[in-house]
Amino acid sequence: MKIHIKTLFGLEEILAEEVRKIGGQNVEVQKRSVSCEGDMHFLYSANLNLRTALKVLVPVYNFTARTEQQLYDQVMRHDWSKYLNINQTFAIDNTVFSEFFRHSQYAALKTKDAIVDQFRNRTGKRPSVDIKTPDIQFDLYGFKDQFTISLDSSGDTLNRRGYREPGHEAPLNEVLGAGLLHLAGWNKSIPLIDPMCGTGTILIEAAMMGQNIPPQINRHDFGFKNWSNFHPTVWNQVVSEAKAGIRKAQLNITGGDIDGDAVLMVNKSLRKFKLSDSVTVTRQDVRDHRPKTPDGMIISNPPYGERIGRENTNDFYKSIGDVLKNNFAGFDAWLMSSNMEAFKHIKLRASKKIVLFNGPLECKFQKYEMYRGSKEEPK
């Protein structure tokens, strides 16, 4: 099968390497995505094991359309009963960049109408739409006049690992958290600290990586399970292989945050995934944080300033720089922020800068190599 895997901007090469490791063939890096080829075993494994994937799509129909009528007619030409039966619900996710279709939602609506009308014309009945929990999720992608409709094998986005409380949205996407660890070059032998850990995304992702725990190990609902060609035997084999690969490892992962509620949330998530013996998190101001090892790595996503005000943020980032210089000689420190002005107040020279996006915010992920007697950046 041709397979298209979505990710976040800046993580494409990381995802491509992950895809190759689990057996993807003819891997090509694209913008915010990776395309490849694979069989059903690979498709299931991609959903279970990829840490930097958001969605795993299988393209089923390509066509050209410049008007609403053309789009409707083209969709009507394809046999949708191959993927959807009359008793199943469906929904259409959409991303359209086209001067011919100013409102992507309307393109999705015309696609939905065509699928429903095809069933009604053939059977006298129509499948129902369920935008929250559909049995079958289609993905409509349009660029100019070229369209692709794919089957969404994932269902819910793959950043949802299951260690969050329902309804709780973290300030850092889990896929991005895993991506930061890969980009920084962290591995389980390196002591890791996040002294501004919030609800612990980076720490939890690191603990799962360090023990080779599949990111979706506790998830049971995937889009492909509702497909007519779902193979339970192959799926059980993929799960068994993944579980057999888990390795208990001695990890040195610690974190802290000044927000007591956030710390409680982290520890609840750690207990939920049986990771409490791998990660230690305490309520602590970053300015009071002291390492317990002579070297290691800091990876953190400090506040960007929306809640603490501009001047306070600049002072706060200055204090981060002071803490790094005074307490963390011998460490590599990686910080991500969208606040470029505040970054200047750290007053350390970054040895590497990577552009990423945290939601809609353009960020830089910057590396500071902390040597004894680090000098301030020249003015």
Side-chain angles (χ1 to χ4, degrees):
M1 291 176 290
K2 293 275 188 186
I3 296 171
H4 191 76
I5 307 174
K6 290 184 176 183
T7 188
L8 298 172
F9 177 88
L11 303 185
E12 297 92 344
E13 293 289 351
I14 302 293
L15 175 59
E17 187 57 34
E18 280 197 279
V19 167
R20 292 186 189 100
K21 279 184 179 175
I22 65 167
Q25 302 296 311
N26 299 322
V27 179
E28 287 184 22
V29 173
Q30 299 171 346
K31 190 175 181 181
R32 289 189 172 91
S33 65
V34 167
S35 68
C36 64
E37 294 176 4
D39 58 10
M40 278 297 180
H41 185 282
F42 171 80
L43 185 79
Y44 299 165
S45 181
N47 277 285
L48 183 67
N49 293 302
L50 294 178
R51 299 184 193 279
T52 56
L54 286 168
K55 287 273 190 178
V56 182
L57 307 175
V58 179
V60 294
Y61 185 44
N62 298 299
F63 60 92
T64 301
R66 293 191 168 198
T67 67
E68 294 154 13
Q69 191 60 47
Q70 284 178 358
L71 188 147
Y72 177 90
D73 292 342
Q74 290 282 12
V75 176
M76 279 287 276
R77 287 195 179 106
H78 196 69
D79 183 4
W80 299 103
S81 65
K82 291 191 288 187
Y83 322 108
L84 175 69
N85 72 53
I86 199 73
N87 297 313
Q88 289 179 310
T89 59
F90 77 102
I92 298 168
D93 197 6
N94 66 92
T95 308
V96 177
F97 305 100
S98 173
E99 65 270 30
F100 305 111
F101 297 88
R102 299 291 185 187
H103 303 289
S104 62
Q105 199 61 47
Y106 194 68
L109 184 63
K110 295 302 287 185
T111 303
K112 182 269 294 180
D113 289 345
I115 292 173
V116 166
D117 290 348
Q118 185 184 90
F119 274 90
R120 188 187 287 118
N121 294 345
R122 290 181 180 179
T123 68
K125 296 179 181 178
R126 53 156 289 173
S128 298
V129 172
D130 181 347
I131 59 172
K132 289 188 176 178
T133 55
D135 296 319
I136 304 295
Q137 178 89 45
F138 293 107
D139 181 274
L140 174 70
Y141 177 80
F143 182 69
K144 296 182 178 178
D145 61 353
Q146 300 299 307
F147 286 83
T148 300
I149 298 179
S150 302
L151 277 171
D152 183 343
S153 72
S154 304
D156 208 356
T157 51
L158 295 174
N159 62 293
R160 299 180 186 278
R161 319 291 209 207
Y163 53 74
R164 304 263 179 234
E165 289 297 300
H168 169 69
E169 292 296 329
L172 187 67
N173 182 301
E174 295 84 346
V175 162
L176 184 53
L180 297 183
L181 290 158
H182 279 288
L183 289 168
W186 180 81
N187 66 62
K188 64 185 178 183
S189 68
I190 301 173
L192 176 69
I193 300 174
D194 182 353
M196 298 163 281
C197 70
T199 53
T201 303
I202 293 168
L203 302 175
I204 296 167
E205 292 294 322
M208 294 176 76
M209 281 174 58
Q211 299 184 53
N212 206 34
I213 298 170
Q216 302 298 338
I217 194 66
N218 285 351
R219 178 168 164 175
H220 304 291
D221 298 324
F222 293 92
F224 59 75
K225 287 191 172 183
N226 295 320
W227 294 2
S228 60
N229 63 348
F230 172 54
H231 297 289
T233 306
V234 177
W235 169 243
N236 291 335
Q237 180 188 355
V238 168
V239 173
S240 296
E241 290 167 356
K243 286 182 176 178
I246 296 173
R247 295 284 182 269
K248 272 290 179 185
Q250 194 68 37
L251 302 174
N252 191 334
I253 301 174
T254 58
D257 200 276
I258 199 167
D259 185 339
D261 289 338
V263 171
L264 286 172
M265 224 175 288
V266 183
N267 284 311
K268 193 171 185 179
S269 297
L270 290 168
R271 288 193 298 273
K272 196 173 183 180
F273 268 53
K274 298 181 174 60
L275 295 171
S276 298
D277 57 345
S278 302
V279 183
T280 303
V281 181
T282 55
R283 184 178 183 182
Q284 193 173 37
D285 191 308
V286 62
R287 288 162 282 209
D288 299 325
H289 214 103
R290 300 290 187 278
K292 293 182 171 61
T293 56
D295 53 34
M297 188 177 284
I298 293 170
I299 304 177
S300 197
N301 179 46
Y304 301 166
E306 288 80 1
R307 286 174 290 177
I308 56 179
R310 181 178 172 181
E311 288 184 11
N312 289 340
T313 304
N314 291 342
D315 290 341
F316 179 61
Y317 275 61
K318 182 182 181 303
S319 67
I320 292 173
D322 293 341
V323 167
L324 293 179
K325 280 183 287 188
N326 297 330
N327 300 346
F328 288 93
F331 276 68
D332 284 341
W334 287 84
L335 303 178
M336 187 179 76
S337 179
S338 68
N339 193 327
M340 300 306 130
E341 175 63 26
F343 255 146
K344 295 175 187 175
H345 287 75
I346 289 179
K347 293 190 175 178
L348 295 169
R349 187 183 295 280
S351 61
K352 191 175 283 189
K353 299 179 182 181
I354 301 171
V355 176
L356 299 168
F357 281 84
N358 188 4
L361 299 175
E362 182 175 336
C363 299
K364 280 190 181 163
F365 187 41
Q366 302 194 163
K367 179 183 182 182
Y368 302 95
E369 298 176 40
M370 304 310 303
Y371 304 107
R372 298 209 175 270
S374 291
K375 295 178 182 178
E376 286 193 356
E377 186 173 1
K379 293 181 180 175

PDB file of all heavy atoms in Angstrom, residues 324-346:
ATOM      1  N   LEU A 324      21.530  28.260  34.658  1.00  0.00           N
ATOM      2  CA  LEU A 324      22.331  27.377  33.797  1.00  0.00           C
ATOM      3  C   LEU A 324      23.818  27.600  34.030  1.00  0.00           C
ATOM      4  O   LEU A 324      24.604  26.648  34.140  1.00  0.00           O
ATOM      5  CB  LEU A 324      21.976  27.616  32.326  1.00  0.00           C
ATOM      6  CG  LEU A 324      20.560  27.217  31.874  1.00  0.00           C
ATOM      7  CD1 LEU A 324      20.353  27.546  30.403  1.00  0.00           C
ATOM      8  CD2 LEU A 324      20.298  25.732  32.121  1.00  0.00           C
ATOM      9  N   LYS A 325      24.233  28.875  34.080  1.00  0.00           N
ATOM     10  CA  LYS A 325      25.649  29.191  34.263  1.00  0.00           C
ATOM     11  C   LYS A 325      26.160  28.740  35.631  1.00  0.00           C
ATOM     12  O   LYS A 325      27.247  28.180  35.745  1.00  0.00           O
ATOM     13  CB  LYS A 325      25.872  30.709  34.119  1.00  0.00           C
ATOM     14  CG  LYS A 325      25.930  31.195  32.674  1.00  0.00           C
ATOM     15  CD  LYS A 325      26.222  32.678  32.600  1.00  0.00           C
ATOM     16  CE  LYS A 325      25.015  33.497  33.011  1.00  0.00           C
ATOM     17  NZ  LYS A 325      25.211  34.949  32.755  1.00  0.00           N
ATOM     18  N   ASN A 326      25.360  28.978  36.658  1.00  0.00           N
ATOM     19  CA  ASN A 326      25.835  28.753  38.022  1.00  0.00           C
ATOM     20  C   ASN A 326      25.702  27.306  38.490  1.00  0.00           C
ATOM     21  O   ASN A 326      26.505  26.829  39.292  1.00  0.00           O
ATOM     22  CB  ASN A 326      25.078  29.663  39.002  1.00  0.00           C
ATOM     23  CG  ASN A 326      25.339  31.132  38.727  1.00  0.00           C
ATOM     24  OD1 ASN A 326      26.415  31.498  38.245  1.00  0.00           O
ATOM     25  ND2 ASN A 326      24.361  31.987  39.011  1.00  0.00           N
ATOM     26  N   ASN A 327      24.653  26.603  37.996  1.00  0.00           N
ATOM     27  CA  ASN A 327      24.335  25.278  38.557  1.00  0.00           C
ATOM     28  C   ASN A 327      24.552  24.108  37.606  1.00  0.00           C
ATOM     29  O   ASN A 327      24.582  22.964  38.057  1.00  0.00           O
ATOM     30  CB  ASN A 327      22.875  25.242  39.033  1.00  0.00           C
ATOM     31  CG  ASN A 327      22.581  26.275  40.103  1.00  0.00           C
ATOM     32  OD1 ASN A 327      23.509  26.849  40.675  1.00  0.00           O
ATOM     33  ND2 ASN A 327      21.315  26.498  40.379  1.00  0.00           N
ATOM     34  N   PHE A 328      24.656  24.384  36.306  1.00  0.00           N
ATOM     35  CA  PHE A 328      24.608  23.263  35.361  1.00  0.00           C
ATOM     36  C   PHE A 328      25.827  23.198  34.439  1.00  0.00           C
ATOM     37  O   PHE A 328      25.715  22.825  33.277  1.00  0.00           O
ATOM     38  CB  PHE A 328      23.316  23.331  34.538  1.00  0.00           C
ATOM     39  CG  PHE A 328      22.096  22.982  35.340  1.00  0.00           C
ATOM     40  CD1 PHE A 328      21.352  23.974  35.965  1.00  0.00           C
ATOM     41  CD2 PHE A 328      21.711  21.659  35.502  1.00  0.00           C
ATOM     42  CE1 PHE A 328      20.233  23.655  36.722  1.00  0.00           C
ATOM     43  CE2 PHE A 328      20.602  21.322  36.262  1.00  0.00           C
ATOM     44  CZ  PHE A 328      19.855  22.322  36.862  1.00  0.00           C
ATOM     45  N   ALA A 329      26.992  23.558  34.951  1.00  0.00           N
ATOM     46  CA  ALA A 329      28.221  23.383  34.171  1.00  0.00           C
ATOM     47  C   ALA A 329      28.383  21.900  33.844  1.00  0.00           C
ATOM     48  O   ALA A 329      28.168  21.042  34.703  1.00  0.00           O
ATOM     49  CB  ALA A 329      29.420  23.883  34.961  1.00  0.00           C
ATOM     50  N   GLY A 330      28.729  21.606  32.599  1.00  0.00           N
ATOM     51  CA  GLY A 330      28.862  20.216  32.167  1.00  0.00           C
ATOM     52  C   GLY A 330      27.619  19.666  31.496  1.00  0.00           C
ATOM     53  O   GLY A 330      27.632  18.559  30.962  1.00  0.00           O
ATOM     54  N   PHE A 331      26.530  20.440  31.490  1.00  0.00           N
ATOM     55  CA  PHE A 331      25.271  20.004  30.874  1.00  0.00           C
ATOM     56  C   PHE A 331      25.090  20.631  29.489  1.00  0.00           C
ATOM     57  O   PHE A 331      25.611  21.715  29.217  1.00  0.00           O
ATOM     58  CB  PHE A 331      24.075  20.426  31.743  1.00  0.00           C
ATOM     59  CG  PHE A 331      23.771  19.474  32.856  1.00  0.00           C
ATOM     60  CD1 PHE A 331      24.640  19.322  33.933  1.00  0.00           C
ATOM     61  CD2 PHE A 331      22.604  18.715  32.836  1.00  0.00           C
ATOM     62  CE1 PHE A 331      24.363  18.445  34.960  1.00  0.00           C
ATOM     63  CE2 PHE A 331      22.322  17.837  33.868  1.00  0.00           C
ATOM     64  CZ  PHE A 331      23.195  17.693  34.930  1.00  0.00           C
ATOM     65  N   ASP A 332      24.352  19.949  28.631  1.00  0.00           N
ATOM     66  CA  ASP A 332      23.796  20.560  27.432  1.00  0.00           C
ATOM     67  C   ASP A 332      22.359  20.945  27.754  1.00  0.00           C
ATOM     68  O   ASP A 332      21.586  20.102  28.232  1.00  0.00           O
ATOM     69  CB  ASP A 332      23.794  19.578  26.252  1.00  0.00           C
ATOM     70  CG  ASP A 332      25.183  19.407  25.656  1.00  0.00           C
ATOM     71  OD1 ASP A 332      26.035  20.278  25.893  1.00  0.00           O
ATOM     72  OD2 ASP A 332      25.411  18.394  24.963  1.00  0.00           O
ATOM     73  N   ALA A 333      21.999  22.195  27.516  1.00  0.00           N
ATOM     74  CA  ALA A 333      20.647  22.674  27.813  1.00  0.00           C
ATOM     75  C   ALA A 333      19.934  23.019  26.517  1.00  0.00           C
ATOM     76  O   ALA A 333      20.433  23.821  25.718  1.00  0.00           O
ATOM     77  CB  ALA A 333      20.700  23.889  28.731  1.00  0.00           C
ATOM     78  N   TRP A 334      18.782  22.400  26.300  1.00  0.00           N
ATOM     79  CA  TRP A 334      17.937  22.672  25.131  1.00  0.00           C
ATOM     80  C   TRP A 334      16.647  23.321  25.613  1.00  0.00           C
ATOM     81  O   TRP A 334      15.915  22.736  26.431  1.00  0.00           O
ATOM     82  CB  TRP A 334      17.598  21.375  24.404  1.00  0.00           C
ATOM     83  CG  TRP A 334      18.722  20.756  23.626  1.00  0.00           C
ATOM     84  CD1 TRP A 334      19.702  19.935  24.102  1.00  0.00           C
ATOM     85  CD2 TRP A 334      18.955  20.888  22.217  1.00  0.00           C
ATOM     86  NE1 TRP A 334      20.527  19.542  23.075  1.00  0.00           N
ATOM     87  CE2 TRP A 334      20.098  20.108  21.907  1.00  0.00           C
ATOM     88  CE3 TRP A 334      18.305  21.578  21.188  1.00  0.00           C
ATOM     89  CZ2 TRP A 334      20.608  20.004  20.616  1.00  0.00           C
ATOM     90  CZ3 TRP A 334      18.811  21.475  19.892  1.00  0.00           C
ATOM     91  CH2 TRP A 334      19.951  20.697  19.622  1.00  0.00           C
ATOM     92  N   LEU A 335      16.370  24.530  25.109  1.00  0.00           N
ATOM     93  CA  LEU A 335      15.162  25.253  25.505  1.00  0.00           C
ATOM     94  C   LEU A 335      14.351  25.611  24.256  1.00  0.00           C
ATOM     95  O   LEU A 335      14.924  26.014  23.245  1.00  0.00           O
ATOM     96  CB  LEU A 335      15.513  26.536  26.260  1.00  0.00           C
ATOM     97  CG  LEU A 335      16.381  26.397  27.512  1.00  0.00           C
ATOM     98  CD1 LEU A 335      16.671  27.767  28.098  1.00  0.00           C
ATOM     99  CD2 LEU A 335      15.714  25.491  28.547  1.00  0.00           C
ATOM    100  N   MET A 336      13.025  25.490  24.364  1.00  0.00           N
ATOM    101  CA  MET A 336      12.148  25.887  23.256  1.00  0.00           C
ATOM    102  C   MET A 336      11.237  27.014  23.696  1.00  0.00           C
ATOM    103  O   MET A 336      10.635  26.965  24.774  1.00  0.00           O
ATOM    104  CB  MET A 336      11.294  24.714  22.760  1.00  0.00           C
ATOM    105  CG  MET A 336      10.497  25.087  21.501  1.00  0.00           C
ATOM    106  SD  MET A 336       9.491  23.727  20.869  1.00  0.00           S
ATOM    107  CE  MET A 336       8.141  23.750  22.040  1.00  0.00           C
ATOM    108  N   SER A 337      11.136  28.043  22.852  1.00  0.00           N
ATOM    109  CA  SER A 337      10.257  29.171  23.159  1.00  0.00           C
ATOM    110  C   SER A 337       9.856  29.889  21.883  1.00  0.00           C
ATOM    111  O   SER A 337      10.582  29.855  20.882  1.00  0.00           O
ATOM    112  CB  SER A 337      10.952  30.157  24.101  1.00  0.00           C
ATOM    113  OG  SER A 337      10.108  31.258  24.390  1.00  0.00           O
ATOM    114  N   SER A 338       8.697  30.534  21.926  1.00  0.00           N
ATOM    115  CA  SER A 338       8.267  31.398  20.820  1.00  0.00           C
ATOM    116  C   SER A 338       8.643  32.851  21.093  1.00  0.00           C
ATOM    117  O   SER A 338       8.439  33.715  20.243  1.00  0.00           O
ATOM    118  CB  SER A 338       6.747  31.294  20.632  1.00  0.00           C
ATOM    119  OG  SER A 338       6.076  31.866  21.747  1.00  0.00           O
ATOM    120  N   ASN A 339       9.180  33.116  22.276  1.00  0.00           N
ATOM    121  CA  ASN A 339       9.484  34.489  22.688  1.00  0.00           C
ATOM    122  C   ASN A 339      10.962  34.800  22.394  1.00  0.00           C
ATOM    123  O   ASN A 339      11.844  34.567  23.220  1.00  0.00           O
ATOM    124  CB  ASN A 339       9.171  34.664  24.177  1.00  0.00           C
ATOM    125  CG  ASN A 339       9.153  36.112  24.596  1.00  0.00           C
ATOM    126  OD1 ASN A 339       9.907  36.937  24.063  1.00  0.00           O
ATOM    127  ND2 ASN A 339       8.292  36.453  25.545  1.00  0.00           N
ATOM    128  N   MET A 340      11.208  35.324  21.198  1.00  0.00           N
ATOM    129  CA  MET A 340      12.588  35.583  20.776  1.00  0.00           C
ATOM    130  C   MET A 340      13.239  36.713  21.590  1.00  0.00           C
ATOM    131  O   MET A 340      14.440  36.703  21.838  1.00  0.00           O
ATOM    132  CB  MET A 340      12.639  35.930  19.278  1.00  0.00           C
ATOM    133  CG  MET A 340      12.101  34.835  18.380  1.00  0.00           C
ATOM    134  SD  MET A 340      12.897  33.241  18.662  1.00  0.00           S
ATOM    135  CE  MET A 340      11.470  32.173  18.848  1.00  0.00           C
ATOM    136  N   GLU A 341      12.448  37.672  22.003  1.00  0.00           N
ATOM    137  CA  GLU A 341      12.964  38.768  22.821  1.00  0.00           C
ATOM    138  C   GLU A 341      13.446  38.227  24.170  1.00  0.00           C
ATOM    139  O   GLU A 341      14.527  38.569  24.644  1.00  0.00           O
ATOM    140  CB  GLU A 341      11.869  39.823  23.031  1.00  0.00           C
ATOM    141  CG  GLU A 341      12.244  40.961  23.965  1.00  0.00           C
ATOM    142  CD  GLU A 341      13.404  41.812  23.448  1.00  0.00           C
ATOM    143  OE1 GLU A 341      13.615  41.871  22.215  1.00  0.00           O
ATOM    144  OE2 GLU A 341      14.118  42.389  24.296  1.00  0.00           O
ATOM    145  N   ALA A 342      12.651  37.363  24.773  1.00  0.00           N
ATOM    146  CA  ALA A 342      13.032  36.795  26.074  1.00  0.00           C
ATOM    147  C   ALA A 342      14.283  35.934  25.955  1.00  0.00           C
ATOM    148  O   ALA A 342      15.135  35.926  26.853  1.00  0.00           O
ATOM    149  CB  ALA A 342      11.876  35.979  26.641  1.00  0.00           C
ATOM    150  N   PHE A 343      14.414  35.208  24.838  1.00  0.00           N
ATOM    151  CA  PHE A 343      15.600  34.372  24.613  1.00  0.00           C
ATOM    152  C   PHE A 343      16.898  35.187  24.755  1.00  0.00           C
ATOM    153  O   PHE A 343      17.899  34.703  25.263  1.00  0.00           O
ATOM    154  CB  PHE A 343      15.558  33.740  23.225  1.00  0.00           C
ATOM    155  CG  PHE A 343      15.213  32.265  23.232  1.00  0.00           C
ATOM    156  CD1 PHE A 343      14.480  31.703  22.196  1.00  0.00           C
ATOM    157  CD2 PHE A 343      15.648  31.431  24.253  1.00  0.00           C
ATOM    158  CE1 PHE A 343      14.184  30.340  22.186  1.00  0.00           C
ATOM    159  CE2 PHE A 343      15.349  30.074  24.258  1.00  0.00           C
ATOM    160  CZ  PHE A 343      14.610  29.534  23.218  1.00  0.00           C
ATOM    161  N   LYS A 344      16.859  36.452  24.276  1.00  0.00           N
ATOM    162  CA  LYS A 344      18.061  37.289  24.337  1.00  0.00           C
ATOM    163  C   LYS A 344      18.518  37.508  25.777  1.00  0.00           C
ATOM    164  O   LYS A 344      19.704  37.705  26.039  1.00  0.00           O
ATOM    165  CB  LYS A 344      17.797  38.649  23.681  1.00  0.00           C
ATOM    166  CG  LYS A 344      17.518  38.585  22.186  1.00  0.00           C
ATOM    167  CD  LYS A 344      17.154  39.966  21.662  1.00  0.00           C
ATOM    168  CE  LYS A 344      16.708  39.907  20.201  1.00  0.00           C
ATOM    169  NZ  LYS A 344      16.232  41.232  19.727  1.00  0.00           N
ATOM    170  N   HIS A 345      17.556  37.493  26.713  1.00  0.00           N
ATOM    171  CA  HIS A 345      17.879  37.791  28.107  1.00  0.00           C
ATOM    172  C   HIS A 345      18.533  36.611  28.817  1.00  0.00           C
ATOM    173  O   HIS A 345      18.989  36.755  29.964  1.00  0.00           O
ATOM    174  CB  HIS A 345      16.626  38.252  28.851  1.00  0.00           C
ATOM    175  CG  HIS A 345      16.189  39.636  28.465  1.00  0.00           C
ATOM    176  ND1 HIS A 345      15.565  39.905  27.257  1.00  0.00           N
ATOM    177  CD2 HIS A 345      16.314  40.832  29.102  1.00  0.00           C
ATOM    178  CE1 HIS A 345      15.313  41.200  27.176  1.00  0.00           C
ATOM    179  NE2 HIS A 345      15.756  41.779  28.271  1.00  0.00           N
ATOM    180  N   ILE A 346      18.586  35.441  28.165  1.00  0.00           N
ATOM    181  CA  ILE A 346      19.342  34.327  28.748  1.00  0.00           C
ATOM    182  C   ILE A 346      20.832  34.655  28.747  1.00  0.00           C
ATOM    183  O   ILE A 346      21.579  34.219  29.608  1.00  0.00           O
ATOM    184  CB  ILE A 346      19.052  33.022  27.960  1.00  0.00           C
ATOM    185  CG1 ILE A 346      17.618  32.560  28.255  1.00  0.00           C
ATOM    186  CG2 ILE A 346      20.043  31.923  28.314  1.00  0.00           C
ATOM    187  CD1 ILE A 346      17.202  31.306  27.536  1.00  0.00           C
TER     188      ILE A 346
END
